[in-house]
């Protein structure tokens, strides 16, 4: 996909992790939890309204702005609003393409509309950005090559392929070497940690899904990924 139309010239990089909010389900407790770890706030389009209602003023608002109402827009610093007139990318795509940060923690992208959620998983594997999507029950991130996770024994670990991949699954109850995973064939869901977990993939396209309470372990793993 050509992303030239989705790039904002001069979009400033962030030296610390970023919290990114979307238009899906947004629990105030989840937003507070993410902001405590990633204090820089970027929102997609109409999620600015939810952020302001929770007492958080975004450093940047990005998207095609079709969901940004007039009252919310008036409450924002005009310099923080980044309008992108590109209908070939989603607002989540636009955010991932433009945010330069060590790690993005995203909320409001899981739950609510299934088509939007699936599009977000697609975006995770296409753009070269470290990002963890956080929902009420689960978290999800892309592991393009290798990831190591320190998890309590018995923790649910799922590896879902978005492409055909050869994968090594180590430190799991059902460990495998050089197993073929495919979205049209075998997938690696509903496994469990049996010790330190190491997952290696032959290429990009592998999504890792964990229970939401293990966000800090996922953050450490993503920051350490090659």
């Amino acid at each position: 996909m050509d992303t030239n139309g989705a790039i904002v010239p001069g979009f400033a990089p962030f030296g610390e992790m970023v919290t990114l909010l979307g238009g899906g389900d947004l629990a105030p407790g989840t937003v507070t939890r993410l902001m405590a770890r990633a204090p820089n706030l970027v929102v997609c389009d109409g999620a600015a309204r939810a952020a302001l209602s929770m007492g958080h003023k975004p450093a940047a608002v990005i998207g095609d702005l079709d969901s940004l109402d007039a009252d919310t827009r008036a409450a924002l610093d005009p310099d923080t609003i980044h309008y992108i007139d590109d209908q070939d990318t989603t607002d989540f795509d636009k955010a991932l393409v433009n945010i330069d940060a060590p790690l993005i923690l995203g909320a409001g992208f899981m739950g609510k509309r299934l088509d939007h959620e699936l599009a977000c998983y697609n975006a995770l594997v296409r753009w070269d950005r470290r990002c963890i999507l956080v929902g009420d029950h689960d978290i999800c991130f892309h592991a393009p090559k290798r990831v190591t996770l320190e998890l309590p024994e018995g923790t649910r670990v799922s590896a879902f392929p978005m492409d055909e991949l050869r994968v090594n699954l180590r430190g799991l109850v059902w460990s495998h070497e050089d197993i073929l995973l495919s979205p049209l064939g075998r997938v690696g869901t509903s496994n469990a940690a049996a010790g330190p977990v190491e997952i290696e993939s032959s290429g990009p396209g592998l999504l890792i899904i964990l229970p939401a309470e293990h966000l800090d372990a996922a953050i450490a793993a993503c920051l350490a990924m090659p």
Side-chain angles (χ1 to χ4, degrees):
M1 178 184 292
D2 179 11
T3 61
N4 289 336
I7 295 174
V8 177
F11 198 90
F14 294 92
E16 296 179 300
M17 295 192 297
V18 165
T19 292
L20 175 66
L21 303 184
D25 293 333
L26 278 173
T30 298
V31 176
T32 299
R33 184 183 181 206
L34 299 193
M35 291 287 294
R37 293 159 174 79
N40 300 296
L41 179 62
V42 178
V43 301
C44 291
D45 208 332
R49 180 172 58 255
L52 292 175
S53 72
M54 297 176 197
H56 303 296
K57 201 149 191 177
V61 180
I62 192 166
D64 60 10
L65 307 186
D66 62 343
S67 302
L68 187 64
D69 63 84
D71 289 343
T72 301
R73 185 166 192 150
L76 298 167
D77 179 347
D79 291 337
T80 66
I81 301 173
H82 302 279
Y83 170 63
I84 302 175
D85 183 17
D86 176 23
Q87 297 306 308
D88 291 329
T89 57
T90 68
D91 287 339
F92 184 53
D93 287 315
K94 294 175 177 67
L96 289 187
V97 168
N98 284 283
I99 295 173
D100 182 2
L103 181 63
I104 301 166
L105 305 181
F109 300 99
M110 303 171 77
K112 206 167 184 177
R113 280 186 54 173
L114 180 58
D115 56 341
H116 285 178
E117 185 173 353
L118 289 172
C120 290
Y121 298 143
N122 173 268
L124 276 183
V125 304
R126 285 190 294 116
W127 309 125
D128 186 20
R129 293 289 187 270
R130 299 182 188 202
C131 177
I132 303 172
L133 295 185
V134 181
D136 291 341
H137 304 289
D138 290 322
I139 59 177
C140 179
F141 62 91
H142 178 219
K145 188 173 182 181
R146 183 177 71 253
V147 64
T148 301
L149 291 154
E150 295 291 338
L151 298 166
E153 186 174 337
T155 299
R156 172 171 49 86
V157 179
S158 292
F160 190 91
M162 299 288 280
D163 198 356
E164 187 171 280
L165 300 165
R166 309 297 308 194
V167 179
N168 297 326
L169 302 170
R170 301 177 182 129
L172 297 168
V173 172
W174 295 280
S175 292
H176 298 276
E177 293 292 321
D178 197 35
I179 188 173
L180 179 64
L181 299 183
S182 168
L184 298 179
R186 186 172 188 173
V187 298
T189 55
S190 300
N191 213 323
V197 174
E198 183 181 21
I199 299 174
E200 291 181 320
S201 174
S202 59
L206 192 65
L207 295 178
I208 307 300
I209 304 165
L210 303 172
E213 59 263 32
H214 298 293
L215 174 61
D216 287 332
I219 290 173
C222 285
L223 290 174
M225 283 194 302

